[in-house]
Amino acid sequence: MKIGLIGFGKAGKAVANVILQHTDFSLEWVLRKSGILEHTSAKEVLGISVADPGLIYSEQNTDLEALLNKKPVDIIIDFSTAEGIYSYGKIASRRNIKIISAISHYEENEKRFLKELSLDTVVFWSPNITLGVNYLLFAASLLKNIAPGVDIEVIEEHFKAKAGISGTAVKIAETLDIETSSINSVRAGGIVGKHEVIFGFPYQTVRLVHESISREAFGSGALFVAENLNKKGNGLYNFEDILRPYFFNQS
Amino acid sequence: MKIGLIGFGKAGKAVANVILQHTDFSLEWVLRKSGILEHTSAKEVLGISVADPGLIYSEQNTDLEALLNKKPVDIIIDFSTAEGIYSYGKIASRRNIKIISAISHYEENEKRFLKELSLDTVVFWSPNITLGVNYLLFAASLLKNIAPGVDIEVIEEHFKAKAGISGTAVKIAETLDIETSSINSVRAGGIVGKHEVIFGFPYQTVRLVHESISREAFGSGALFVAENLNKKGNGLYNFEDILRPYFFNQS
Amino acid sequence: MKIGLIGFGKAGKAVANVILQHTDFSLEWVLRKSGILEHTSAKEVLGISVADPGLIYSEQNTDLEALLNKKPVDIIIDFSTAEGIYSYGKIASRRNIKIISAISHYEENEKRFLKELSLDTVVFWSPNITLGVNYLLFAASLLKNIAPGVDIEVIEEHFKAKAGISGTAVKIAETLDIETSSINSVRAGGIVGKHEVIFGFPYQTVRLVHESISREAFGSGALFVAENLNKKGNGLYNFEDILRPYFFNQS
Amino acid sequence: MKIGLIGFGKAGKAVANVILQHTDFSLEWVLRKSGILEHTSAKEVLGISVADPGLIYSEQNTDLEALLNKKPVDIIIDFSTAEGIYSYGKIASRRNIKIISAISHYEENEKRFLKELSLDTVVFWSPNITLGVNYLLFAASLLKNIAPGVDIEVIEEHFKAKAGISGTAVKIAETLDIETSSINSVRAGGIVGKHEVIFGFPYQTVRLVHESISREAFGSGALFVAENLNKKGNGLYNFEDILRPYFFNQS
């Protein structure tokens, strides 16, 4: 599958790193706002030796239609900003290029736009695109469904400088319908990221724990989504739509 | 719901303890092999103050048909031994009394007998009847299905004297199709019981952890099953059959 | 060593249970406020079969001097209330009986009284007398000393009904000189008791974790103290005084 | 303090990264075997913007005496190989430059050489130079000393490809005098490195856990050692020698 990547910040770089090392996918190009590193290759920037170069283009000097004519792609993966979607959405949907967006937060306007685009192509959006966190949400929600009265608490641990409750913890609380006061935020040293959901029963305890090792997890998640969108018809999908069929196929 | 309990060992006592304290269920009688404590009440033995007495009968001096005529039940819960089923199975199925068996291990003969009984009544069997462990098996199996290539290891911790790999850990390994060599058994002090399934991805780790607090978890599990068998037709069920519908109803 | 136990509540019973099963110690008597179970033996109440009976006496009908004449002891272990000390303190110090008090909280008056008693006998007081928690305090304090700038957070987990921050967590915070806001209190189901101190360094994390299994840990702690007070001169000791020599003897 | 670094492999690079960012220390030079990157600066290679360049020299083309004349240092930190010590040991001891070696394994010859060098300068050697692991060893050994009969098990978790039991786990087992069979090795995904020592008591459990985040921990450890060697007289030291005084100063 041929992929075009929008965005080349910390997350974008990690995603490029994963795509470049995966033989089932080729990174045709990277499109970023800034002009830095223009026309160098992502593989050089990342210091890895692979076949695909993953040439970097700047939005400032690039016509997307021309780029797509020269280097067509099956999927556009978006790790830029909320506004990014306006720069490629229409063009992608018209060409029936699948869209995978990992933008953390969209306003109503963008959500409506995604919906509109999804009439003509496959559109996927997940604010956290790691497989682990989405599985955790899914599995936790199942247990809450089984045992509605169980006591639930969340512990999230991150590096000292991280301000506020983590977005993932807030999402867990929303999904499980628990108060924000049940989220315990630990900030210490360089902890990369850990989320633990504690289900306290009278005579037993169940814990679901997700630990982040590196941002490359976003890349694995995006490629997992790409594979699973393969046979989907046009429409707007989220991560739960991707995970649900695995359950039905469970032996 | 009216319950008759077969078996009054450590697990049986803990189960009686939970049933007696649950207002939706009444413990009509306890039937045990030994003659010890015959005709005393379970609530006295357990030192709790509740309405139901839960009178204890010995198999040696008790005619089950007569007991059921005097004190009819909806469900028989079996925490005795593998042979226990022969003492009450036919009688229960003829009277359409539901059977919930938590026997750890049955030979082929008993399994065939359960199948036979299930033509005429609802029969449930689970070697580990706690909600937590069964949820863990279910959720772990789902993640393995989503990510078939993921590295899986199991850590099980129990008190020093516990010999061999725990039955639950073996069951986890079977369910996830991993080698027994991937089970790490820790034996130290008085640890009640902990099972941890580690899913190692390249850039993230997911852990599912179950910690036992007390044997009363068997009682909660049995009553959870009892509630969920309520509208089932005759047939043989296991814990996964009970959990599966929760998924389909998931919002 | 001959022991007299003051107090026979939940903790007192667990302590009696441990003393009775330890062959180096004999439980000469139990003295409690209430008249319940008077003149029965602790071993019967606890349902264990050991040599020592551990006869129970009520303060209401017992003259301590007479009791000590009939059944002398080397040590009095106090698991009663803050006022308990006044009922036996003077008598114990005059007879040079060692005092081990595990009372959670003393006012200034009682502390002064302990000090006074310690002129004539060995007096030990620790608000939490488990070996594990005291080791945790000791080891955590050492790491803080080594790395004064490290980020420290505490997670304490207990059963749902436990109100307020745990006394042990407060003690940890005081010892490490961290804010109460750095204590994260998790309340869920039937968790017996877990304390975790997290030391967050930029490139590594150290965690010290204590998990309670049962109140019998108070008994083990009290006997550990009793053994270690053996060769001490008169004076007032705390748990750190007991642990410190182990460091100096470390190979 | 002026530092010269020997070795610029993965660990050496991480150590340079930490030294460069620490204002109390300046990285005068890096000396490596290979000629790659010669005469570029470590800060460029690492992509960080700091004052010190940390110029890289190759052993092939560099005379250490001349380098030290031009760029004198207080300390040489060695992250090269076991043979490295022969290339700089005599020169350093003659000039009374402190030596901090983090070589994983030395043969008897090298150990004898270190001893010899330590007559004329301060020599420090630790096979694992992170503060966390050394604290863990120290604290675990203390608890074992307090409770010699306690059950001890070790769990060590690392990335899938790591072969054999981790050197740190072996060191823990040696220090605590437990069998290698009590080490449980988990290999899964990309786990960076976790060591957990479990102390199982009958009624409570104590866990000491160390989690690695990145190799930069070696750098922090080396600088911690550098600071603590400051007032030491000539001699051979290990990490325990560094930690021990913190205990005696403990309030």
Side-chain angles (χ1 to χ4, degrees):
Chain A
M1 259 181 279
K2 295 181 171 181
I3 295 177
L5 175 64
I6 313 277
F8 201 63
K10 281 181 186 172
K13 272 178 191 139
V15 171
N17 195 7
V18 173
I19 301 174
L20 283 169
Q21 299 190 51
H22 206 302
T23 49
D24 291 354
F25 298 90
S26 76
L27 182 60
E28 295 299 306
W29 43 258
V30 178
L31 192 59
R32 71 185 310 195
K33 251 207 187 100
S34 133
I36 301 172
L37 296 172
E38 198 175 0
H39 302 314
T40 63
S41 69
K43 79 167 177 178
E44 274 172 10
V45 176
L46 298 165
I48 52 177
S49 60
V50 291
D52 301 328
L55 266 187
I56 299 167
Y57 297 85
S58 165
E59 287 185 19
Q60 299 162 14
N61 312 308
T62 308
D63 175 60
L64 183 56
E65 298 272 15
L67 180 60
L68 284 169
N69 287 340
K70 208 173 62 179
K71 302 194 172 182
V73 299
D74 304 304
I75 303 176
I76 286 178
I77 295 180
D78 183 358
F79 274 84
S80 64
T81 59
E83 296 72 39
I85 186 72
Y86 296 118
S87 70
Y88 68 86
K90 287 276 184 206
I91 298 171
S93 72
R94 200 180 325 114
R95 289 175 181 247
N96 201 237
I97 295 170
K98 293 189 179 82
I99 296 170
I100 296 178
S101 165
I103 300 306
S104 302
H105 188 76
Y106 277 135
E107 297 296 332
E108 284 312 311
N109 269 349
E110 282 81 45
K111 291 183 193 167
R112 221 176 302 120
F113 188 47
L114 287 181
K115 192 80 200 155
E116 201 184 308
L117 296 173
S118 74
L119 298 173
D120 297 317
T121 191
V122 172
V123 179
F124 173 93
W125 174 46
S126 176
N128 179 323
I129 206 167
T130 65
L131 177 57
V133 161
N134 283 285
Y135 165 78
L136 190 98
L137 285 166
F138 193 77
S141 151
L142 176 60
L143 184 47
K144 163 88 179 202
N145 214 16
I146 293 170
V150 68
D151 300 325
I152 305 179
E153 294 235 10
V154 175
I155 301 174
E156 58 108 345
E157 301 181 8
H158 286 89
F159 48 96
K160 185 67 178 176
K162 187 175 175 73
I165 301 176
S166 85
T168 297
V170 170
K171 175 77 178 170
I172 293 172
E174 281 170 13
T175 304
L176 301 180
D177 195 21
I178 58 173
E179 303 294 319
T180 317
S181 60
S182 296
I183 302 176
N184 302 275
S185 294
V186 170
R187 295 291 173 267
I191 297 173
V192 178
K194 179 175 172 184
H195 289 89
E196 175 170 352
V197 188
I198 302 172
F199 292 87
F201 295 90
Y203 311 118
Q204 60 195 315
T205 310
V206 172
R207 297 170 193 266
L208 307 184
V209 187
H210 179 266
E211 289 161 306
S212 296
I213 297 171
S214 73
R215 286 195 187 84
E216 269 74 7
F218 297 128
S220 305
L223 295 190
F224 174 80
V225 168
E227 276 164 355
N228 282 276
L229 289 178
N230 217 4
K231 290 168 184 166
K232 300 276 191 213
N234 294 349
L236 182 55
Y237 302 91
N238 62 26
F239 220 115
E240 205 184 320
D241 299 322
I242 301 294
L243 293 182
R244 194 168 285 266
Y246 284 95
F247 177 85
F248 291 94
N249 302 332
Q250 210 171 350
S251 58
Chain B
M1 256 180 282
K2 296 180 170 181
I3 295 177
L5 175 65
I6 313 277
F8 201 62
K10 281 180 187 173
K13 272 177 191 141
V15 170
N17 195 7
V18 173
I19 301 174
L20 284 169
Q21 298 188 50
H22 206 303
T23 49
D24 292 355
F25 298 90
S26 75
L27 182 59
E28 295 297 307
W29 43 259
V30 177
L31 191 60
R32 72 186 307 196
K33 239 189 198 123
S34 133
I36 301 172
L37 295 172
E38 198 175 2
H39 302 315
T40 63
S41 68
K43 77 167 179 179
E44 273 173 10
V45 175
L46 299 165
I48 51 176
S49 60
V50 289
D52 301 329
L55 265 186
I56 297 167
Y57 296 85
S58 165
E59 287 185 20
Q60 299 161 15
N61 312 309
T62 308
D63 176 61
L64 182 57
E65 298 272 16
L67 180 60
L68 284 170
N69 287 340
K70 207 173 63 180
K71 301 194 172 184
V73 299
D74 304 304
I75 302 175
I76 285 177
I77 294 180
D78 183 358
F79 273 85
S80 66
T81 59
E83 296 72 40
I85 186 71
Y86 296 118
S87 69
Y88 68 86
K90 287 276 184 206
I91 299 171
S93 73
R94 200 183 322 114
R95 288 174 181 247
N96 200 238
I97 295 171
K98 293 190 180 79
I99 296 171
I100 295 177
S101 164
I103 300 306
S104 303
H105 187 76
Y106 277 135
E107 297 297 333
E108 283 313 311
N109 268 349
E110 282 82 45
K111 289 182 195 171
R112 220 176 303 120
F113 188 47
L114 287 182
K115 193 78 201 155
E116 200 184 310
L117 296 174
S118 74
L119 297 173
D120 298 316
T121 190
V122 172
V123 179
F124 173 94
W125 174 47
S126 177
N128 179 322
I129 207 167
T130 66
L131 177 57
V133 161
N134 284 284
Y135 166 77
L136 189 99
L137 285 167
F138 193 77
S141 153
L142 176 59
L143 185 47
K144 163 88 179 202
N145 215 18
I146 294 170
V150 69
D151 300 325
I152 306 179
E153 294 235 11
V154 176
I155 302 173
E156 57 107 346
E157 301 181 8
H158 286 90
F159 49 94
K160 186 66 179 176
K162 185 173 178 74
I165 301 175
S166 84
T168 297
V170 171
K171 174 79 178 170
I172 293 171
E174 282 170 10
T175 304
L176 301 180
D177 194 22
I178 58 173
E179 301 295 319
T180 317
S181 59
S182 296
I183 302 176
N184 302 274
S185 295
V186 170
R187 295 289 174 268
I191 297 173
V192 178
K194 179 175 171 182
H195 289 88
E196 175 169 353
V197 188
I198 302 173
F199 291 87
F201 296 89
Y203 311 118
Q204 59 195 317
T205 310
V206 172
R207 296 169 192 265
L208 307 185
V209 188
H210 178 267
E211 290 161 306
S212 296
I213 297 171
S214 73
R215 285 194 187 85
E216 268 74 7
F218 296 129
S220 305
L223 295 190
F224 174 80
V225 169
E227 276 164 354
N228 282 275
L229 289 178
N230 217 5
K231 289 166 184 169
K232 299 277 192 209
N234 294 347
L236 182 55
Y237 301 92
N238 62 25
F239 220 115
E240 206 185 318
D241 299 321
I242 301 294
L243 293 183
R244 194 167 285 268
Y246 283 94
F247 177 85
F248 291 94
N249 301 332
Q250 210 170 351
S251 58
Chain C
M1 258 180 279
K2 296 181 171 181
I3 294 177
L5 175 65
I6 312 278
F8 201 61
K10 281 180 187 173
K13 273 177 190 141
V15 171
N17 195 7
V18 173
I19 301 174
L20 284 169
Q21 298 189 48
H22 206 301
T23 49
D24 291 355
F25 298 90
S26 76
L27 182 60
E28 295 297 307
W29 43 259
V30 178
L31 192 59
R32 71 184 310 194
K33 241 193 196 117
S34 132
I36 301 172
L37 295 172
E38 199 176 358
H39 302 312
T40 63
S41 69
K43 78 166 178 178
E44 273 173 9
V45 175
L46 298 166
I48 50 177
S49 60
V50 289
D52 300 328
L55 265 187
I56 298 167
Y57 297 84
S58 166
E59 287 184 21
Q60 300 162 15
N61 313 307
T62 308
D63 175 60
L64 183 55
E65 298 271 17
L67 180 59
L68 284 170
N69 288 340
K70 207 173 63 181
K71 302 193 173 184
V73 300
D74 305 303
I75 301 176
I76 286 179
I77 295 180
D78 183 358
F79 274 85
S80 65
T81 59
E83 296 72 39
I85 186 72
Y86 296 118
S87 71
Y88 68 86
K90 287 276 185 205
I91 299 171
S93 72
R94 201 183 321 117
R95 289 174 180 247
N96 201 238
I97 295 171
K98 293 190 180 79
I99 296 171
I100 295 178
S101 164
I103 300 306
S104 303
H105 187 76
Y106 277 134
E107 297 296 334
E108 285 311 312
N109 268 349
E110 281 81 45
K111 290 182 194 169
R112 219 176 303 120
F113 188 46
L114 287 182
K115 194 77 199 156
E116 200 184 308
L117 296 172
S118 73
L119 297 173
D120 298 315
T121 190
V122 172
V123 179
F124 173 94
W125 174 47
S126 177
N128 179 321
I129 207 167
T130 66
L131 177 58
V133 162
N134 283 285
Y135 165 77
L136 189 99
L137 285 166
F138 193 77
S141 152
L142 176 59
L143 184 47
K144 163 88 179 202
N145 214 18
I146 294 170
V150 67
D151 300 323
I152 306 179
E153 294 235 10
V154 175
I155 302 174
E156 56 109 346
E157 301 181 9
H158 286 90
F159 49 94
K160 185 68 179 175
K162 186 174 177 72
I165 300 175
S166 84
T168 297
V170 171
K171 175 79 177 167
I172 293 171
E174 282 170 12
T175 303
L176 301 180
D177 195 22
I178 58 173
E179 301 294 318
T180 317
S181 61
S182 296
I183 303 176
N184 301 275
S185 295
V186 170
R187 295 290 173 267
I191 297 172
V192 178
K194 179 175 171 182
H195 289 89
E196 176 170 353
V197 188
I198 302 172
F199 291 88
F201 295 90
Y203 312 117
Q204 60 195 315
T205 311
V206 172
R207 297 168 192 267
L208 307 184
V209 188
H210 179 266
E211 290 160 307
S212 296
I213 297 172
S214 73
R215 284 193 188 85
E216 268 74 7
F218 295 129
S220 305
L223 295 190
F224 173 80
V225 169
E227 276 163 357
N228 283 276
L229 288 178
N230 217 5
K231 290 166 185 169
K232 299 276 191 213
N234 294 349
L236 182 55
Y237 301 92
N238 63 25
F239 220 115
E240 208 185 318
D241 299 322
I242 301 293
L243 293 183
R244 194 167 285 265
Y246 284 95
F247 176 85
F248 291 94
N249 301 333
Q250 209 169 351
S251 59
Chain D
M1 257 180 282
K2 295 180 171 182
I3 295 176
L5 175 65
I6 313 278
F8 201 63
K10 281 181 187 173
K13 273 179 191 139
V15 171
N17 195 7
V18 173
I19 302 174
L20 284 169
Q21 298 188 51
H22 206 301
T23 50
D24 292 355
F25 299 89
S26 75
L27 182 60
E28 295 299 307
W29 43 259
V30 178
L31 192 59
R32 71 185 310 194
K33 250 204 189 103
S34 135
I36 302 172
L37 295 172
E38 198 174 0
H39 302 314
T40 63
S41 68
K43 77 167 178 178
E44 274 173 10
V45 174
L46 298 165
I48 51 176
S49 59
V50 290
D52 302 328
L55 265 186
I56 298 167
Y57 297 84
S58 164
E59 288 184 20
Q60 299 161 16
N61 312 307
T62 308
D63 176 60
L64 184 55
E65 299 272 16
L67 181 59
L68 284 170
N69 289 339
K70 207 173 61 180
K71 303 194 173 183
V73 301
D74 305 304
I75 302 175
I76 286 178
I77 295 181
D78 184 357
F79 275 85
S80 65
T81 59
E83 296 72 38
I85 186 71
Y86 296 119
S87 69
Y88 67 87
K90 287 275 184 206
I91 299 171
S93 73
R94 201 182 323 115
R95 291 174 180 248
N96 201 236
I97 295 171
K98 294 190 179 83
I99 296 171
I100 296 178
S101 165
I103 300 308
S104 305
H105 187 77
Y106 277 134
E107 296 297 332
E108 283 312 312
N109 270 348
E110 282 82 44
K111 290 183 195 169
R112 219 176 304 120
F113 188 46
L114 287 182
K115 194 76 200 158
E116 200 184 310
L117 297 173
S118 74
L119 298 172
D120 298 316
T121 190
V122 172
V123 179
F124 173 94
W125 174 46
S126 177
N128 178 323
I129 206 167
T130 65
L131 178 57
V133 161
N134 284 286
Y135 165 78
L136 190 100
L137 285 167
F138 192 77
S141 152
L142 176 59
L143 184 47
K144 163 89 179 204
N145 215 17
I146 294 170
V150 68
D151 301 324
I152 305 180
E153 294 236 9
V154 175
I155 301 174
E156 57 109 345
E157 301 181 8
H158 286 90
F159 48 95
K160 185 67 178 177
K162 186 174 176 72
I165 301 176
S166 85
T168 297
V170 171
K171 175 77 177 168
I172 293 172
E174 282 169 12
T175 305
L176 301 180
D177 195 22
I178 58 173
E179 302 294 319
T180 317
S181 60
S182 297
I183 302 176
N184 301 275
S185 295
V186 170
R187 294 291 173 267
I191 297 173
V192 178
K194 180 176 171 181
H195 290 88
E196 175 170 353
V197 188
I198 302 172
F199 292 87
F201 295 90
Y203 311 119
Q204 59 196 317
T205 311
V206 171
R207 296 169 192 266
L208 306 184
V209 187
H210 179 267
E211 290 160 306
S212 296
I213 297 172
S214 73
R215 285 194 188 84
E216 268 74 7
F218 296 129
S220 306
L223 295 190
F224 174 80
V225 168
E227 276 164 355
N228 283 275
L229 289 178
N230 217 6
K231 291 166 185 167
K232 299 278 192 211
N234 294 348
L236 182 55
Y237 302 92
N238 63 25
F239 221 115
E240 206 184 320
D241 300 321
I242 302 294
L243 292 183
R244 194 168 285 267
Y246 284 96
F247 177 85
F248 291 94
N249 301 332
Q250 210 171 350
S251 60

